[in-house]
Amino acid sequence: NAGVTQTPKFQVLKTGQSMTLQCAQDMNHEYMSWYRQDPGMGLRLIHYSVGAGITDQGEVPNGYNVSRSTTEDFPLRLLSAAPSQTSVYFCASSRGKTIYNEQFFGPGTRLTVL
Amino acid sequence: GQQLNQSPQSMFIQEGEDVSMNCTSSSIFNTWLWYKQDPGEGPVLLIALYKAGELTSNGRLTAQFGITRKDSFLNISASIPSDVGIYFCAGQVSDYKLSFGAGTTVTVRA
């Protein structure tokens, strides 16, 4: 198993550009989520999905879109990048409810918006 | 989101030392989790706590779920160089949501 994979590892964007951060897992996990990590702050939940076709907002969803057309993939779209979106982005997955199931994190995507 | 206060913000360890860090919240949590993040990697779960007063060990790591359900601590005994990294506490907000502390950065003392 590759676990949770994320691409790209690094990305630089200009303000206003759009892009998609990719996340895939091969563990047949129902639950997937996206977090951002900023210096001096804990991970903050952006969006999450409890299964294919079902997504919901987390703590900081503005400026981001997600979709979940398959169990394996959960891409995060930045519609019009802003410098405030400079961050490290982590995707995570778990078998079910995170209250009972360990979340496995990907290696992260480091995004810089100029 | 709910505020978790994690302290200390950073610490230096010397090989062989015991170190301790803690996490407090103004809200009650039903589950506390401790993660470690190595440079360039995602967080990895170390210990999960499900009951107030629970004391759980994982090798040289020991964590406790505070009796008030508003705090937790993590101890590392007999530190080794590979213990460096960032340690995060997290409280379970709902079935699918966690609230994370800002992390404690552990560095080896020169």
Side-chain angles (χ1 to χ4, degrees), chain A residues 9 31 35 37 40-43 45 48 50 57-59 90 96-108, chain B residues 1-2 9 30-31 33 35 37 40-45 50 86 88 92 94-103:
Chain A
K9 203 157 175 64
Y31 176 82
Y35 292 87
Q37 183 178 34
M41 302 184 74
L43 282 79
L45 184 64
Y48 66 99
V50 301
Q57 295 182 348
E59 189 184 346
F90 289 99
K97 295 179 180 180
T98 57
I99 195 169
Y100 303 124
N101 296 281
E102 179 179 351
Q103 280 197 81
F104 294 89
F105 286 82
Chain B
Q2 273 130 308
Q9 201 169 28
N30 291 322
T31 302
L33 305 168
Y35 288 84
Q37 183 180 24
E41 302 290 332
V44 174
L45 182 66
Y50 297 105
I86 306 176
F88 292 100
Q92 193 83 37
S94 67
D95 283 350
Y96 293 102
K97 294 182 184 177
L98 299 175
S99 185
F100 282 83

Side-chain angles (χ1 to χ4, degrees), chain B residues 13-33:
Chain B
I13 62 169
Q14 198 144 30
E15 193 166 349
E17 272 185 338
D18 295 347
V19 298
S20 184
M21 59 195 79
N22 66 68
C23 207
T24 60
S25 170
S26 56
S27 305
I28 288 173
F29 287 112
N30 291 322
T31 302
W32 281 94
L33 305 168

